[in-house]
């Protein structure tokens, strides 16, 4: 019995990261209408799949695409503009003034498109993006073919996109109205992003939560990122950021808290009780000397923890292989225990745990029939990847983004060995140079 499908990926080992942690040595993935219809050993298929297109990986590794739980993609136009300083100085003295000068629909579109190229080259198939002018980000992600959770930013002061709070929520509401409730096959998922407790009042948080609930979308926020933030919130509200959002009724299982570095054991329990997810950004936290988040404690408490790069102005690169390596090592160092954060757990943060932290666990994060066909092919044959004893350890401690050979999103081959099939990468690079030159 035969079945026609859109695409077959075969000819190499498959790491599925399903609930059984299945591995198929000579694997085959059959894809139709953007979803996986079969994954397993090629010889075990009960149907003969006939595809319009076939990708033979010739022995390379087939695995799920990585999930970048947090970035500000358009900030690629400010990559390297302000380095080697603490967050407060970086943000207030450099980034906010630069954004005031540069931020526009045009800047967000081209900066986001450039970031899409960087991420898809390094195996990221889904990203949670948080910034202003998100209609332009949506256009860029659609052009690139990337799956994206696009969170329209909310900041409790005037920006290039609005003059006051009412105008801000009008922008946010219109964005959600345009994109919420779309078909499940749509690669774009809308959301809201409230910047942080030190830039947004509890009233703004509650209004954003109500709006997110109205459109059934997720809410993101920076939370407890630095000691300075803790001190500001204590001085202003006589409590900590986590306790403040808990007391005000903001914490919930539809909230993803980004960073969450400075928390105590009781606050970890508070986050767990509310079902709030955490997105960890080790590269950005290390570069800004923000601290080391208690990731092991979060996982032990049952909190979904994803992995993010943060924006390219505070991390400078959007490569989750780098983030996985750093995440594992920082946790080992913090606990003084080399076995405390194993490679497979870090991979889970970039895959199915990361999907759960975005509320997308039914769609992405593993290779299983019925899930989206977001797949990457890894070439692990080069000198720095030889020899190979253990796939998870190799992927976390050895592999890098440039080892990604092919990227498939929603059953569509979008990238292969330096070539994009959806847009002109050189045009995006040229446009970002032009925009950045205004600084």
């Amino acid at each position: 019995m035969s079945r026609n499908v859109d695409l077959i990926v075969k000819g190499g080992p498959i790491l599925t990261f399903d609930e059984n942690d299945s591995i198929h040595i000579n694997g085959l993935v059959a894809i139709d209408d953007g979803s996986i219809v079969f994954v397993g050993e090629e010889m075990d298929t009960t149907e003969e799949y006939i595809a319009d297109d076939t990708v033979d990986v010739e022995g390379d590794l087939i695995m799920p695409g990585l999930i970048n739980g947090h970035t500000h993609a358009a900030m690629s136009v400010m990559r390297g503009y302000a380095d080697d300083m603490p967050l407060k100085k970086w943000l207030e003295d450099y980034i906010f003034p630069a954004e005031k000068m540069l931020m526009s629909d045009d800047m967000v579109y081209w900066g986001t498109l450039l970031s899409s190229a960087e991420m898809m080259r390094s195996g990221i198939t889904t990203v949670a993006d948080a910034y202003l002018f998100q209609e332009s980000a949506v256009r860029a992600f659609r052009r690139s073919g990337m799956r994206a959770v696009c969170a329209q930013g909310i900041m409790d002061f005037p920006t290039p996109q609005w003059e006051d709070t009412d105008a801000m929520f009008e922008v946010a509401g219109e964005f959600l109205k345009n994109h919420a409730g779309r078909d499940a096959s749509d690669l774009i998922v809308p959301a809201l992003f409230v910047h942080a407790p030190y830039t947004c009042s509890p009233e703004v948080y509650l209004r954003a939560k109500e709006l997110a609930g109205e459109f059934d979308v997720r809410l993101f926020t920076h939370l407890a990122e630095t000691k300075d933030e803790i001190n500001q919130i204590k001085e202003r509200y006589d409590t900590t950021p986590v306790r403040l959002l808990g007391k005000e009724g903001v914490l919930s299982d539809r909230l993803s808290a980004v960073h969450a570095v400075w928390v105590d054991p009781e606050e970890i329990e508070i986050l767990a009780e509310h079902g709030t997810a955490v997105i960890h950004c080790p590269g950005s936290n290390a570069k800004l000397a923000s601290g080391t988040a208690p990731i092991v404690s979060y996982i032990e408490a049952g909190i979904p923890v994803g992995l993010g790069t943060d924006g390219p102005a505070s991390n400078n690169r959007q490569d989750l292989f780098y983030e996985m390596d750093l995440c594992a090592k920082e946790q080992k160092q913090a606990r003084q225990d080399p076995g405390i954060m194993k490679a497979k757990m870090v991979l889970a943060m970039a895959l199915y745990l990361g999907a759960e932290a975005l509320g997308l666990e039914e769609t992405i994060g593993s290779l299983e029939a019925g899930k989206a066909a977001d797949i990457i092919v890894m070439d692990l044959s080069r000198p720095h990847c030889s020899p190979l004893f253990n796939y998870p350890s190799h992927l976390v401690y050895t592999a890098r983004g440039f080892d990604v050979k092919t990227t498939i999103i929603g059953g569509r081959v979008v990238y292969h060995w330096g070539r994009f099939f959806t847009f002109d990468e050189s045009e995006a690079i040229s446009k970002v140079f032009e925009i950045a030159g205004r600084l």
Side-chain angles (χ1 to χ4, degrees):
M1 189 166 124
S2 63
R3 175 177 176 178
N4 291 318
V5 295
D6 295 332
L7 178 69
I8 286 175
V9 183
K10 67 174 187 175
I14 298 176
L15 301 184
T16 64
F17 293 92
D18 63 13
E19 61 180 9
N20 298 316
D21 208 16
S22 305
I23 299 175
H24 305 293
I25 302 305
N26 186 28
L28 179 146
V29 185
I31 300 161
D32 199 45
D33 198 25
S35 297
I36 297 169
V37 297
F38 172 84
V39 56
E41 293 289 340
E42 185 172 359
M43 65 182 68
D44 292 341
T45 56
T46 57
E47 294 184 285
E48 179 187 2
Y49 291 99
I50 301 171
D52 298 333
D53 293 294
T54 298
V55 174
D56 189 335
V57 305
E58 301 178 334
D60 289 328
L61 177 67
I62 303 166
M63 63 177 286
L66 304 181
I67 300 166
N68 185 356
H70 180 68
T71 193
H72 312 288
M75 293 181 79
S76 60
V77 303
M78 293 174 280
R79 189 195 319 267
Y81 174 64
D83 290 335
D84 304 326
M85 61 188 74
L87 176 64
K88 191 172 189 295
K89 181 178 178 64
W90 173 83
L91 196 61
E92 295 178 359
D93 294 352
Y94 290 87
I95 298 304
F96 283 162
E99 287 177 326
K100 187 174 181 180
M101 183 187 302
L102 296 180
M103 194 182 294
S104 65
D105 283 306
D106 193 53
M107 173 264 205
V108 171
Y109 176 78
W110 290 109
T112 301
L113 194 61
L114 181 66
S115 285
S116 297
E118 181 184 2
M119 289 187 280
M120 294 191 323
R121 274 181 172 271
S122 61
I124 295 170
T125 54
T126 297
V127 61
D129 183 52
Y131 210 54
L132 307 185
F133 294 100
Q134 280 293 284
E135 287 290 357
S136 295
V138 168
R139 286 196 299 115
F141 286 127
R142 286 202 191 284
R143 183 176 175 189
S144 72
M146 195 166 192
R147 189 180 304 278
V149 180
C150 291
Q152 170 62 42
I154 289 174
M155 304 174 78
D156 201 3
F157 52 81
T159 73
Q161 197 175 13
W162 60 73
E163 289 296 326
D164 55 42
T165 302
D166 287 338
M168 173 177 69
F169 277 103
E170 185 177 333
V171 167
E174 190 65 25
F175 176 74
L176 296 183
K177 191 182 299 181
N178 289 343
H179 300 285
R182 288 179 175 263
D183 186 87
S185 63
D186 198 330
L187 295 179
I188 301 299
V189 177
L192 292 180
F193 166 64
V194 186
H195 182 259
Y198 58 89
T199 56
C200 297
S201 68
E203 292 74 24
V204 164
Y205 268 100
L206 288 172
R207 193 169 168 183
K209 182 184 178 182
E210 182 180 354
L211 184 61
E214 179 184 340
F215 287 93
D216 191 27
V217 300
R218 200 159 190 86
L219 191 63
F220 294 82
T221 189
H222 293 145
L223 186 64
E225 183 177 0
T226 64
K227 271 187 176 180
D228 187 63
E229 177 185 338
I230 303 301
N231 293 335
Q232 284 187 57
I233 299 304
K234 280 185 175 178
E235 184 176 339
R236 195 178 303 171
Y237 301 105
D238 194 30
T239 189
T240 61
V242 171
R243 289 182 176 87
L244 174 66
L245 296 194
K247 176 186 173 185
E248 296 292 339
V250 177
L251 299 180
S252 77
D253 59 2
R254 293 155 60 99
L255 179 72
S256 296
V258 181
H259 300 301
V261 174
W262 294 96
V263 296
D264 57 38
E266 183 181 70
E267 288 174 306
I268 293 174
E269 290 181 14
I270 292 171
L271 291 171
E273 286 168 5
H274 286 87
T276 299
V278 168
I279 307 294
H280 180 41
C281 302
S284 175
N285 290 344
K287 183 166 177 277
L288 293 168
S290 299
T292 302
I295 299 305
V296 174
S297 297
Y298 286 138
I299 292 171
E300 289 172 346
I303 294 172
V305 183
L307 197 61
T309 61
D310 211 346
S314 65
N315 185 359
N316 302 48
R317 69 180 84 184
Q318 295 178 98
D319 181 349
L320 271 186
F321 288 98
Y322 164 77
E323 300 297 329
M324 286 193 287
D325 179 64
L326 182 58
C327 174
K329 291 173 180 175
E330 65 163 12
Q331 296 299 311
K332 296 172 189 291
Q333 183 70 13
R335 291 285 192 102
Q336 292 290 286
D337 180 353
I340 197 68
M341 178 60 84
K342 292 181 170 56
K344 285 183 74 171
M345 181 54 68
V346 182
L347 274 166
M349 291 169 59
L351 295 170
Y352 55 88
L353 275 183
E356 186 180 354
L358 301 183
L360 296 175
E361 63 271 23
E362 299 298 321
T363 305
I364 56 174
S366 60
L367 300 185
E368 303 177 66
K371 285 197 171 182
D374 291 4
I375 300 167
I376 59 175
V377 179
M378 301 289 298
D379 176 7
L380 301 178
S381 66
R382 290 185 284 179
H384 70 282
C385 286
S386 303
L388 195 162
F389 295 107
N390 179 282
Y391 278 119
S393 291
H394 226 57
L395 290 168
V396 171
Y397 301 122
T398 304
R400 290 294 178 264
F402 54 73
D403 294 315
V404 174
K405 182 176 182 179
T406 307
T407 301
I408 299 168
I409 303 175
R412 179 188 187 190
V413 179
V414 294
Y415 168 80
H416 177 71
W417 249 187
R419 180 185 175 192
F420 287 94
F421 300 100
T422 52
F423 68 102
D424 183 352
E425 181 187 44
S426 63
E427 182 187 20
I429 293 171
S430 175
K431 290 288 188 180
V432 167
F433 263 106
E434 180 185 318
I435 294 167
R438 299 171 197 162
L439 289 173

